[in-house]
Amino acid sequence: MSDLRLIRHGQATPFEADTDRLSPLGETQARAVGAAFQAEGWVPTHVLHGPLVRQRRSAQLAAGQATGWPRATQDARLAEFDGDGLIRTLTPLLAAQDDAFAAQVAAFRASDPQTRNRTFQALLETVAAAWQSGALTHPDVEGWAAFRARVLAVLADTLALPGGSRVAVFTSGGVIGLTLARVLDAPDATALRLNWRVRNASVTRLTFGGGRVSLDSFNEEAHLLPAERSWR
């Protein structure tokens, strides 16, 4: 049997101009992943990461805490769905069509630091559901079907690796949520619900081989100190 570990990148900078980089906390979280694997004696045979800075940097920092890791491979199919596109391009489109959603946007814009995460999450869940259903599209934003196809393709390639492989995949919550929905034979809507719960630098473990794949654990964060845990 083979071992697949899906690692969400460390905390990024979602409310800043540059959203695709690790925060100082995110760098600490990524290092903790590598240190935990090293302490466990788990050495991957394959290391994959997506093309986003936060994904690549998380893999680099984790590897820097361990020995014997192979050279990492970048795979564009492991990129997160276009969250910036959902917010910057699709959100105004939906707000122009839906008064209730426009009120959600207004609530987020009026929010203070204490309520910002909650109001942003409500906004994001609404626009993501419309995007996933195909009701909300734009040529500049990758659609759900294209996102789904590339994630399932890289999953299929990973599951075809030789027996005894140990694979570390540094990616994002949407990719992890969709992967788990596929493994659990759950509907697509489950992918987004799982995505909302994937915490920064968490580890999700699967076992695969012989044409089967099983979920062993989801969203592990015991390698992080309580003060180091975050979900946005």
Side-chain angles (χ1 to χ4, degrees), residues 76-102:
R77 297 174 297 179
L78 291 168
E80 180 62 295
F81 61 79
D82 186 4
D84 285 347
L86 264 66
I87 297 302
R88 295 174 182 170
T89 303
L90 298 187
T91 289
L93 293 179
L94 186 58
Q97 303 168 13
D98 186 324
D99 290 343
F101 180 68

Side-chain angles (χ1 to χ4, degrees), residues 68-80:
W69 284 32
R71 184 181 182 88
T73 298
Q74 178 170 299
D75 193 318
R77 297 174 297 179
L78 291 168
E80 180 62 295

Side-chain angles (χ1 to χ4, degrees), residues 11-24 84 87-88 108 116 120 232:
Q11 184 190 62
T13 50
F15 298 117
E16 298 183 13
D18 180 3
T19 62
D20 188 20
R21 62 183 179 86
L22 293 182
S23 69
D84 285 347
I87 297 302
R88 295 174 182 170
F108 170 66
R116 182 175 60 178
F120 179 75
R232 174 168 292 128

Side-chain angles (χ1 to χ4, degrees), residues 113-201:
Q114 285 70 43
T115 60
R116 182 175 60 178
N117 269 326
R118 176 174 55 80
T119 55
F120 179 75
Q121 184 64 29
L123 181 159
L124 183 57
E125 288 187 18
T126 301
V127 73
W131 165 74
Q132 184 184 57
S133 72
L136 189 63
T137 64
H138 190 280
D140 293 339
V141 180
E142 179 186 38
W144 171 260
F147 172 68
R148 185 180 189 277
R150 64 172 167 85
V151 172
L152 296 188
V154 72
L155 174 62
D157 288 349
T158 302
L159 299 182
L161 290 171
S165 295
R166 297 180 300 278
V167 190
V169 175
F170 291 82
T171 183
S172 297
V175 175
I176 295 170
L178 179 52
T179 298
L180 294 188
R182 172 65 180 84
V183 169
L184 298 172
D185 198 24
D188 280 1
T190 302
L192 285 180
R193 288 197 293 269
L194 289 168
N195 167 53
W196 306 135
R197 302 314 308 161
V198 181
R199 297 177 70 86
N200 292 321

Side-chain angles (χ1 to χ4, degrees), residues 15-79:
F15 298 117
E16 298 183 13
D18 180 3
T19 62
D20 188 20
R21 62 183 179 86
L22 293 182
S23 69
L25 174 59
E27 296 204 348
T28 297
Q29 292 168 333
R31 292 188 184 96
V33 171
F37 289 173
Q38 176 76 4
E40 182 186 348
W42 190 82
V43 180
T45 58
H46 302 76
V47 178
L48 308 176
H49 62 74
L52 302 178
V53 172
R54 57 190 184 271
Q55 298 170 335
R56 181 174 66 251
R57 182 63 175 156
S58 292
Q60 292 171 342
L61 291 171
Q65 302 300 304
T67 57
W69 284 32
R71 184 181 182 88
T73 298
Q74 178 170 299
D75 193 318
R77 297 174 297 179
L78 291 168

